[in-house]
Amino acid sequence: MKILICISKTPDTTAKIAFTDNNTKFAADGVQWIINPYDEWYSLVRAIELKEADPSVVLHLVNVGGADSEPIIRKALALGGDEAIRVNADQSDSYFTAAQIAQIAKEGSYDLIFTGKETIDYNGSSIGGMIAEILDIPFVSHAVKFDLASSQTTIVREIDGGEETVQVNLPLVVSCQKGMAEQRIPNMKGIMGARTKPLKVVEPIATEALTSVVAFDLPPAKAGVKLVSADNPEELVRLLSEEAKAI
Amino acid sequence: MSVLVFIDIADGQIKKASFEAACYGAQTAALLATKAEAIVLGTCEADLSVLGQYGISKVHTVSDAKLNHFDSQVFTKIIADAAAGADVIVFSNNTTGKAIAPRLSARLKAGLVTGAVALPEVSAGFVVKKSVFSGKAFANIGINSAKKIIALNPNAFNITKTDGIAEVAALNSEIPAAAVTVLSVNKVTGEIPLSEADIVVSGGRGLKGPENWGLVTDLAKLLGAATACSRPVADIHWRPHHEHVGQTGLAIAPNLYIAIGISGAIQHLAGVNRSKTIVVINKDPEAPFFKAADYGIVGDAFEVVPKIIDAVKKLKGMS
């Protein structure tokens, strides 16, 4: 049983969002980088739990990124990945990124591919579905629960307004979200061990980029809050009805 | 040469997010001087010709109960065949759209923008504005491929109706075998889906315990609103995970968001700051949420919210 876990590098959730170079680039100065929370807390940790239940499970991490991704890859190895592959390219277009990961998946013949449901920077929710299509295998998105019995998986996925329990055979791609597992912190043994775990760097395959960023914008600033006295909440209801026309 | 809109149905009815996608698709078609058509998969009780009122000229249907549960692989194959003549394919960026649009993008080598918030800019190239950094910024993305796919954020585009009746025609399509078997469906009935709700009432740790959630649910019920919560509230299991809005939960953009007892951490704001009007009720005047709010009350929720409920009842002529 081999699992490929896709790991992306994103700014910390408290990072200030600003842009440089005529609003074409994210201002990365002073930004703390983390493993995309969906990739780490739900997808990676659930995969580690599967390995804890069955030590024969092998966990490989894949990241598409420059050398500056290596600290977050080492952290993922410290949490519990066995080895990692970094495709040495910048992530710009989702199809380009998905094609790189699909290539790694083909070469490594994995039974299962985990992604987070989206990254918290680009919010694309695209990589998992694209990998599945390139490999022509099933894709279950927004998984909140994942169980495995021999080659059959039982997954609870989120749908609009509820949940669905589905059954799918391996191999498949699953995008993971909250509910799959609980956040963990790497322990000292993990951190020490991660230093010597294999981290292979490969060059990207030639792939066309289907999209490109033209420019970023920031939303207009709010005009400022209109405070209503706590003794007079009726005034708030009046404002919402007459001024904001929201109720 | 046209725009094709995927219409998502639930329980035999067209979802609100799909009406938004239909209007978006029709207006995109107008920009490109072409027509907008739609595709509906699965059995649907609703009269699909009403899509004409949203600008759709023709609706292609594959009315087969096998398609009432979605398998992204099966849906992608059928839509790819139907989209042979389409330049632009539009989805709602809801859970169904997020599962299908990326597959279709890879299959057709069609550039994809998910989370779109505005019509494409077509004067020079084809540029779509999307929400990024969980609502803290926008990115204008150019699509370079001949075929283009857009997944429109729910509640990001106004529905406009005109007169019109769409032609409805069955599509002769082979349905591939599904790899995904649905064992059970657990839908919260009688509640408004959070992603589609016009009004959302949300509670945080300031409410002190799950036993006090009546304040949130009573106000929500009265306003026809969906209920939500902050991350700590979901983490300590006061409320179910699917109600968590914020950076690592659901990002929403209702017309009105009422936050009760939520301080407004940056991660929470990221999930709600696209709401049109934000109301904050918090007893701490220094709560950061007030900086992002349109209206606020500094006060104790346990005293203020019941008075709001009474005032809304009065407004609605219920007392």
Side-chain angles (χ1 to χ4, degrees), chain A residues 13-231:
Chain A
T13 53
T14 57
K16 180 176 161 43
I17 305 304
F19 303 99
T20 59
D21 292 21
N22 255 338
N23 282 335
T24 56
K25 281 206 179 77
F26 174 65
D29 280 1
V31 167
Q32 181 87 26
W33 296 93
I34 58 169
I35 309 172
N36 177 44
Y38 291 106
D39 299 346
E40 177 187 344
W41 305 348
Y42 310 124
S43 135
L44 174 60
V45 175
R46 184 68 192 120
I48 292 167
E49 289 172 354
L50 293 172
K51 188 183 172 75
E52 285 165 352
D54 174 2
S56 71
V57 170
V58 175
L59 307 181
H60 285 183
L61 311 172
V62 61
N63 167 266
V64 178
D68 56 358
S69 283
E70 296 203 356
I72 67 114
I73 299 174
R74 289 287 173 201
K75 187 190 171 194
L77 288 169
L79 280 161
D82 293 316
E83 48 187 274
I85 303 152
R86 177 170 70 82
V87 180
N88 188 31
D90 284 335
Q91 277 195 36
S92 54
D93 171 59
S94 344
Y95 179 73
F96 175 87
T97 304
Q100 305 308 324
I101 297 172
Q103 182 63 25
I104 301 293
K106 271 182 211 163
E107 289 166 5
S109 46
Y110 294 90
D111 304 289
L112 186 58
I113 301 170
F114 270 178
T115 72
K117 76 155 184 171
E118 64 183 74
T119 57
I120 61 165
D121 50 5
Y122 185 73
N123 305 124
S125 315
S126 306
I127 302 295
M130 287 179 174
I131 297 168
E133 186 63 28
I134 296 169
L135 299 175
D136 198 23
I137 59 176
F139 170 50
V140 175
S141 65
H142 299 88
V144 295
K145 204 164 176 289
F146 179 92
D147 289 303
L148 183 66
S150 66
S151 72
Q152 195 170 62
T153 66
T154 306
I155 304 168
V156 179
R157 71 174 171 195
E158 195 182 82
I159 54 171
D160 286 352
E163 287 176 353
E164 239 172 32
T165 305
V166 301
Q167 221 160 44
V168 197
N169 287 333
L170 299 173
L172 84 156
V173 181
V174 179
S175 85
C176 307
Q177 72 156 329
K178 193 165 188 160
M180 284 285 273
E182 297 288 334
Q183 185 178 1
R184 290 187 182 186
I185 294 165
N187 57 29
M188 195 43 82
K189 185 168 168 259
I191 295 167
M192 299 305 284
R195 292 182 186 171
T196 53
K197 284 180 179 172
L199 194 171
K200 194 167 79 179
V201 179
V202 299
E203 290 306 312
I205 54 164
T207 308
E208 63 208 291
L210 301 176
T211 62
S212 54
V213 172
V214 176
F216 292 99
D217 301 324
L218 288 169
K222 283 262 178 192
V225 62
K226 198 177 261 190
L227 285 176
V228 174
S229 159
D231 300 325

